[in-house]
């Protein structure tokens, strides 16, 4: 059976889940254009806008995350989870997928659980170096588990694991803009070293406050900065910057839509340690200082960061150390070509170049095998 296979891709919640999911879908369509793909996400989450913008249909589940601080609120969460499982079952019965893919995020759990209970083959794309509880449970019945890090047999059956890396946004790899033109597009000077600060689309409180408290150091550093604050912090940052003396070496924005150009401009990056971002840094050979978010399940960002640090492929500062150490470390590192070159060379060794295509082929094989056994 080689045509008109149907595949569900489920998950989302953050760009770190959505961008790989869309990359996988694009790879499937490129390899097999006739394939029907349906996304299943969580109502009210960003995938409900980003996925249709990428050209795919998406259905939302009423699922949400558990509230660890207010346990009584989880009664409503459990009701939503039950409703989500019923809706996921109906979606699967209607769409009749030949394979279901989970990329992480709230919607993955009910969708994959229902698919597995109905005998549909499932594939998990585990992005992090430390698997969460949900994926560990789902992994017991999944046919394949695509991972980005070594040592994942701690969490999954080693016979199911395929080390593929994490898919990234394809446009990042196709940029032809030069470093000089990229820097000029931000109104900065190509003659100076440039540090890019990214805390995600919503922003990172610790990183933003560290920079706001360090405007004098920024002014005197001889370095220039491209600073993505995130939408929650932009007004506070702009007010703080406006109250300071003129800072021509500082470009401030809430969101960077053209990340390919921003990466090209950067000699050094300051970032959280999300798995998707790390995969991008590896592919683009970018020196990076990682400040893992402390507000994530199983502290997986710290584990992601240490996987690089242990191979001299990144620098690492904890969230609690950032206010005292981050700016000094960043400015010193940007002024040391030997350190930048070492970090760039080592992080490049960890890159996986064809992740989306490799994962797409694994999904396709599962779907074809299922389709041959179940003619529908």
């Amino acid at each position: 059976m080689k045509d008109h296979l149907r595949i569900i891709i489920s998950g989302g919640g953050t760009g770190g889940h959505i961008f790989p999911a869309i990359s996988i879908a694009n790879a499937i369509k490129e390899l097999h254009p006739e394939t029907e793909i349906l996304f299943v996400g969580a109502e009210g989450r960003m995938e409900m806008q980003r996925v249709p913008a990428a050209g795919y249909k998406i259905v939302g589940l009423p699922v949400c995350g558990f509230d660890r601080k207010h346990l009584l609120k989880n009664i409503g969460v459990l009701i939503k989870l039950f409703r989500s499982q019923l809706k996921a079952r109906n979606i699967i019965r209607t769409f009749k997928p030949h394979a279901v893919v989970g990329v992480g995020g709230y919607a993955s759990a009910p969708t994959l659980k229902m698919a597995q209970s109905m005998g549909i083959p499932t594939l998990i794309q585990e992005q992090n170096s430390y698997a969460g509880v949900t994926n560990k449970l789902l992994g017991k019945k999944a046919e394949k588990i695509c991972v980005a890090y070594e040592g994942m047999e701690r969490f999954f059956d080693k016979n199911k694991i395929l080390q593929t890396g994490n898919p990234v946004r394809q446009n990042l790899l196709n940029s032809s803009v030069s470093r000089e033109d990229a820097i000029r597009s931000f109104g900065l000077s190509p003659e100076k070293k440039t540090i890019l600060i990214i805390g995600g689309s919503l922003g990172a409180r610790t990183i933003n406050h560290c920079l706001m408290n360090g405007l004098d150091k920024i002014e005197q550093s001889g370095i220039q900065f491209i600073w993505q604050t995130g939408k929650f912090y932009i007004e506070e940052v702009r007010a703080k910057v406006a109250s300071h003396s003129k800072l021509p070496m500082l470009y401030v924005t809430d969101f960077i839509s053209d990340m390919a150009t921003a990466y090209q401009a950067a000699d050094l990056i300051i970032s959280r340690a999300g798995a998707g971002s790390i995969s991008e840094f590896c592919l683009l050979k970018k020196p990076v200082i990682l400040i893992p978010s402390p507000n994530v399940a199983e502290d997986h960002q710290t584990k992601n960061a240490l996987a690089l640090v242990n191979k001299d492929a990144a620098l690492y500062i904890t969230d609690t150390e950032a206010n005292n150490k981050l700016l000094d470390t960043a400015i010193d590192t940007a002024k040391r070509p030997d350190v930048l070159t070492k970090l760039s060379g080592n992080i490049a060794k960890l890159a996986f170049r064809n992740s989306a295509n490799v994962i797409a082929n694994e999904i396709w094989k599962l779907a074809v095998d299922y389709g041959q056994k179940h003619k529908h």
Side-chain angles (χ1 to χ4, degrees), residues 31-70:
L31 294 167
H32 308 284
E34 70 285 351
T35 309
E36 295 180 52
I37 296 175
L38 175 67
F39 279 76
V40 177
E43 292 173 357
R45 305 293 290 186
M46 64 190 295
E47 60 263 29
M48 302 308 292
Q49 286 77 44
R50 295 289 178 88
V51 169
Y56 296 99
K57 183 179 177 183
I58 186 167
V59 181
L61 303 180
V63 66
C64 62
F66 282 93
D67 191 326
R68 291 180 172 87
K69 294 181 180 178
H70 307 94

Side-chain angles (χ1 to χ4, degrees), residues 23-24 27-28 31 123 125 144 146-147 162-167 352-366:
S23 293
I24 292 167
I28 293 170
L31 294 167
L123 178 146
Q125 202 255 315
K144 280 286 180 182
C146 296
V147 303
L162 186 65
Q163 193 173 3
T164 62
N166 290 323
F352 289 85
R353 298 218 156 264
N354 298 302
S355 299
N357 285 345
V358 174
I359 295 169
N361 276 320
E362 290 300 316
I363 296 163
W364 183 255
K365 285 189 281 188
L366 290 178

Side-chain angles (χ1 to χ4, degrees), residues 109 112-113 116 122 124 126 131-142 145 155-156 160:
L112 266 69
K113 183 179 179 182
Q116 290 173 350
T122 58
I124 292 171
E126 173 56 70
V133 174
T134 301
N135 272 357
K136 283 189 279 190
L137 291 172
L138 293 170
K140 295 181 187 302
K141 293 186 178 180
I145 301 156
F155 310 110
F156 305 115
K160 297 180 179 181

